[in-house]
Amino acid sequence: MLNITDKFRELATAGGRQPFCVIRAGDKTFLDDSIKSFQFQEVIFPEELTFGAACSGRFHFELETAENIPLSAEIRPYIGFGEYSEDAELCPLGVFCISKRYRRRNSYSVTCYDKMYRLEDKYKSELAFPTTSDKLLEEICEKYGLEFQGDAGSNSCDKMPADESVRNILGYLAGLEGACAVFDRYGRLCFRKMTDSGFRITRSNYASLDLKQDPMTVEKIEIDNGGDELIEEGEGTKLGTYRIYDPFASQHTAKKLYTMYGGFTYYGLELDMQGLPFLETGDIITVQNDCDDGLFTAVIGELNFTYNGSFWLTLSSKSKNPVQDSEDVETQEQQLQQMTKSLSTVYYNYRSERDVTVGGNLTSVAEVNLEVLEETSAVLAAQLVAEPKSDCLLTLSYTVEDLETPPEITASLKEGEHFPICLHNFFSAIPAGYITVRIYAKAEGGTVLFGKGRIIATVSGQHLAENAVNRSPNRTIYQSFLPFEIQMPEVRFPLQEHLLASTQIPLGGTEKESVIFRMDEYKVGFGISDDLIVPKSVQKAEIYSQDNVMYARLIFFNPISTQDAALLAPAFKILAVFTEEQEEHGVTDVVWDGNTQLVLTVDGMFVGASQIRVLYESAKGDMADGFSGEKLDDFDITAEAGKENIV
């Protein structure tokens, strides 16, 4: 628990208190007149009680300001109570580095993490092994500019584990002392142990208590250090056994941890309560029961503070689940719950996100991706609103993974009318696996527009996974940028802030590599500083992998004009950029939806690539409305000043 004055504690725990917030961002200070809200998360162990974890703290805040906060600015938030003044006592919440920022007019949204978040480099020590934990910690702190607070111990480390991150190494070193590695509220690295704070939370401090009735007791310590056998100390059931992984640990470590925590009893609980900023993760506290004067011992595993004028806290004491972790076999009640879950009806929904124009070619206008757990049946219900641009004959058809094709539906449409269409079909036999239900359309003798949001489809049935999926594995590693607003002739956005935040595989961006938006006669140029080559007139680009095949999906603003999409394959190439080499792969197939979407197919998943580039040679392809006929290094997008434009 943080060291605070009695006066501060009295103000913080009083009813009708008046909290205020101060955020220092670099050389700028923001007060309540510009701070809209913040959320602060501090975690010492993510699940049940354990040792050797290394979790990162997160701070997200929103401001109403025209000022800019540099990406390099250090963020230091504080909470106080009573009237704000420069002499008021403030309680620090931590020291954070900015991960991403987003501005919409004067609304500024910033997400930050503490230094633990950036310690993901694979660590190679220059020390001679065996060595001691304090020497290894000293080397890490010197290399990464970290300040350590406290005692690291002098434990023997026989060898350096291979391919481990700095963050994991810090956790292993902390685990030798029965602690977890965290950065404290002053930005200093420390090994935090479970410590009796002596603080009691009474009924007057909280609004609700969610208590696990069964207390947990540390009866046995098991350590996996990568050897052939587990290291054990103490005796107990599976429920009372606490296992950790630590390649530095030995029998001496197990004895030390058991001496420190053996026999310790605590409760799992969650409180919605007053925000008390002086509480820290790892604090052992007592909580008064909500109905009598009974007291429960708890260990703070996670703190989630929320500030929006009021200051609130969700406090969690993590513990095992006696049902899940018991040694008993699955009960009949659990089996019944699983059966009920399997037989419940699951709904997958689709709504069109863009306009779709249909002509004489068969075009996919909607698709719903299912995960089918076992062979089943399903019902498709869809509503479409067609806007014919000329008199035509509209034909609709649909398939389930090309396995079942019901009869087509046709309708004669007149120019200018809005024609609602309802589809309903029962699919009797859908196999297990990842299945796609598609709706196709074509308009003979004219064109038909299905506007954005005018196609709604639902597939429902039993034995379906609860969440809608794209084919698994299907990992997006590059996708288009978020909406932005043009406010000045030239704006530079850091590449990491907009690209890395929305990808699942890290890209090789530095703070110097920037995305540049330029406005010149309502033309917006978009490019990346290392001369990324991409097609013009692209509204959205996605690159993803599935079943050892790479796909690049390009969606254009206007319908594509070409005679044969298959002839485009030789014109496209996919370039994967790795740390020390580049791999260029030709496109094996091009699928065109007859409108604005191309899907390029390339063998290989390219996992670990720092960049994926789409290359196009106009001399080898015919795509009149998609390309300008030369190698390009930017998108050309027509835009109006002051309006949102999505790329």
Side-chain angles (χ1 to χ4, degrees):
M1 189 169 69
L2 286 175
N3 186 21
I4 56 169
T5 64
D6 292 339
K7 180 181 178 181
F8 187 92
R9 180 180 297 191
E10 182 180 345
L11 289 171
T13 56
R17 61 189 187 162
Q18 293 181 312
F20 64 85
C21 178
V22 177
I23 297 178
R24 297 193 173 115
D27 59 355
K28 298 179 175 65
T29 299
F30 299 96
L31 305 175
D32 278 338
D33 57 353
S34 56
I35 299 172
K36 296 167 64 177
S37 64
F38 76 67
Q39 296 86 41
F40 168 46
Q41 181 185 48
E42 182 177 280
V43 183
I44 189 171
F45 35 81
E47 298 297 337
E48 64 194 48
L49 185 151
T50 190
F51 319 105
C55 298
S56 175
R58 179 183 182 273
F59 184 73
H60 173 84
F61 63 100
E62 295 187 0
L63 303 175
E64 189 73 23
T65 181
E67 292 197 62
N68 180 54
I69 301 176
L71 188 64
S72 58
E74 195 172 67
I75 307 299
R76 292 175 177 262
Y78 301 85
I79 281 289
F81 296 94
E83 293 292 332
Y84 169 74
S85 69
E86 293 186 358
D87 298 327
E89 183 178 0
L90 300 175
C91 183
L93 298 183
V95 180
F96 303 93
C97 303
I98 295 176
S99 172
K100 61 180 178 180
R101 302 164 299 172
Y102 177 74
R103 176 185 291 282
R104 182 182 177 87
R105 297 183 176 86
N106 282 342
S107 293
Y108 212 164
S109 176
V110 184
T111 301
C112 319
Y113 295 88
D114 65 24
K115 294 179 181 178
M116 191 70 76
Y117 185 74
R118 298 190 174 184
L119 297 178
E120 296 293 347
D121 297 343
K122 293 293 188 291
Y123 192 71
K124 294 183 179 180
S125 175
E126 298 176 3
L127 297 175
F129 282 79
T131 187
T132 57
S133 56
D134 53 346
K135 291 181 180 178
L136 182 54
L137 176 63
E138 182 180 356
E139 181 191 45
I140 292 174
C141 290
E142 183 177 348
K143 283 187 178 182
Y144 288 88
L146 307 178
E147 178 187 355
F148 181 78
Q149 176 72 17
D151 182 13
S154 184
N155 302 283
S156 177
C157 299
D158 293 336
K159 62 180 180 179
M160 185 70 182
D163 296 326
E164 292 283 6
S165 67
V166 181
R167 181 174 180 165
N168 287 345
I169 296 297
L170 292 175
Y172 299 150
L173 295 178
L176 298 177
E177 290 294 303
C180 294
V182 298
F183 281 87
D184 67 15
R185 301 287 181 84
Y186 301 95
R188 303 171 301 193
L189 175 66
C190 63
F191 290 170
R192 185 175 294 170
K193 301 176 183 178
M194 291 186 298
T195 305
D196 190 355
S197 67
F199 187 74
R200 176 179 297 180
I201 296 177
T202 67
R203 286 194 297 272
S204 62
N205 296 129
Y206 65 81
S208 66
L209 167 64
D210 186 4
L211 175 71
K212 291 184 178 180
Q213 291 293 333
D214 299 299
M216 298 292 109
T217 301
V218 180
E219 301 172 339
K220 182 179 180 181
I221 299 293
E222 284 186 353
I223 301 178
D224 179 2
N225 67 353
D228 295 333
E229 297 182 358
L230 294 175
I231 301 171
E232 301 178 350
E233 191 69 26
E235 295 182 359
T237 64
K238 178 181 178 182
L239 192 62
T241 299
Y242 289 78
R243 177 184 291 188
I244 66 172
Y245 172 76
D246 194 329
F248 294 134
S250 63
Q251 189 68 51
H252 173 74
T253 308
K255 289 182 179 180
K256 178 190 291 188
L257 298 188
Y258 186 76
T259 300
M260 295 172 64
Y261 300 115
F264 173 67
T265 298
Y266 68 102
Y267 282 83
L269 55 82
E270 184 172 292
L271 293 171
D272 285 330
M273 57 176 292
Q274 283 180 319
L276 302 180
F278 49 82
L279 294 176
E280 293 184 295
T281 53
D283 287 346
I284 299 174
I285 58 174
T286 54
V287 179
Q288 184 183 30
N289 198 0
D290 55 357
C291 58
D292 55 38
D293 292 331
L295 296 176
F296 304 100
T297 299
V299 182
I300 301 178
E302 181 174 338
L303 296 169
N304 286 280
F305 292 96
T306 300
Y307 178 81
N308 54 6
S310 62
F311 186 46
W312 207 247
L313 166 64
T314 299
L315 179 154
S316 299
S317 174
K318 310 284 187 174
S319 72
K320 295 184 177 184
N321 188 323
V323 175
Q324 292 179 349
D325 291 289
S326 67
E327 295 175 342
D328 298 333
V329 298
E330 202 173 47
T331 64
Q332 291 182 345
E333 181 179 357
Q334 289 174 302
Q335 293 174 347
L336 180 60
Q337 288 176 349
Q338 288 185 348
M339 183 181 298
T340 302
K341 184 177 180 180
S342 174
L343 294 177
S344 62
T345 301
V346 177
Y347 296 85
Y348 286 81
N349 300 308
Y350 171 88
R351 179 185 290 269
S352 57
E353 297 179 350
R354 61 187 178 89
D355 293 347
V356 177
T357 302
V358 174
N361 295 318
L362 196 63
T363 302
S364 174
V365 296
E367 62 179 46
V368 183
N369 296 309
L370 317 174
E371 183 180 356
V372 183
L373 303 178
E374 59 182 87
E375 183 174 325
T376 187
S377 58
V379 174
L380 167 67
Q383 295 179 342
L384 305 89
V385 178
E387 301 178 36
K389 299 304 179 182
S390 57
D391 294 353
C392 61
L393 180 66
L394 178 67
T395 301
L396 294 172
S397 59
Y398 33 102
T399 64
V400 179
E401 203 65 21
D402 301 323
L403 298 175
E404 185 172 348
T405 307
E408 294 182 340
I409 296 175
T410 59
S412 297
L413 306 183
K414 298 293 185 181
E415 179 181 355
E417 67 180 350
H418 284 65
F419 191 84
I421 304 169
C422 294
L423 302 179
H424 190 276
N425 197 80
F426 176 74
F427 299 110
S428 59
I430 300 180
Y434 296 98
I435 305 298
T436 301
V437 177
R438 293 182 175 87
I439 301 176
Y440 295 92
K442 67 178 178 179
E444 298 179 27
T447 59
V448 173
L449 171 67
F450 295 96
K452 177 182 178 181
R454 295 300 187 95
I455 303 175
I456 302 173
T458 299
V459 176
S460 58
Q462 299 174 331
H463 304 296
L464 303 179
E466 290 186 351
N467 298 313
V469 293
N470 291 321
R471 302 291 187 122
S472 177
N474 189 15
R475 306 172 65 194
T476 300
I477 58 178
Y478 166 77
Q479 62 185 19
S480 57
F481 284 71
L482 299 173
F484 67 93
E485 182 176 329
I486 308 167
Q487 295 180 332
M488 57 192 74
E490 178 169 315
V491 186
R492 296 180 70 91
F493 292 91
L495 176 63
Q496 287 179 316
E497 181 177 341
H498 283 260
L499 258 180
L500 298 185
S502 61
T503 57
Q504 296 180 24
I505 298 178
L507 304 180
T510 67
E511 292 184 14
K512 293 183 179 180
E513 294 176 347
S514 299
V515 176
I516 305 171
F517 299 105
R518 290 183 301 276
M519 185 177 68
D520 181 16
E521 297 179 355
Y522 302 132
K523 289 286 186 178
V524 179
F526 164 89
I528 294 179
S529 58
D530 65 347
D531 295 327
L532 177 66
I533 300 174
V534 290
K536 276 193 174 182
S537 301
V538 173
Q539 179 186 22
K540 187 176 183 182
E542 292 184 343
I543 299 178
Y544 55 93
S545 58
Q546 168 194 321
D547 301 329
N548 293 318
V549 178
M550 176 70 70
Y551 299 90
R553 184 170 68 167
L554 307 177
I555 300 176
F556 297 85
F557 280 98
N558 300 311
I560 298 165
S561 174
T562 183
Q563 298 299 317
D564 187 352
L567 298 178
L568 291 170
F572 283 100
K573 292 181 180 178
I574 302 293
L575 183 68
V577 181
F578 297 88
T579 304
E580 298 178 353
E581 61 180 342
Q582 299 184 7
E583 293 182 5
E584 189 175 283
H585 295 255
V587 171
T588 57
D589 188 25
V590 175
V591 178
W592 178 38
D593 71 349
N595 192 40
T596 61
Q597 179 173 295
L598 282 179
V599 178
L600 317 176
T601 304
V602 183
D603 292 336
M605 292 181 67
F606 305 154
V607 174
S610 62
Q611 290 185 7
I612 303 293
R613 303 178 181 178
V614 179
L615 308 180
Y616 177 76
E617 280 190 69
S618 58
K620 296 182 179 180
D622 174 21
M623 200 172 186
D625 290 346
F627 300 88
S628 69
E630 58 186 23
K631 281 193 174 183
L632 306 166
D633 60 4
D634 65 349
F635 291 103
D636 278 349
I637 307 164
T638 302
E640 295 182 14
K643 298 291 183 67
E644 288 187 350
N645 300 278
I646 301 177
V647 297

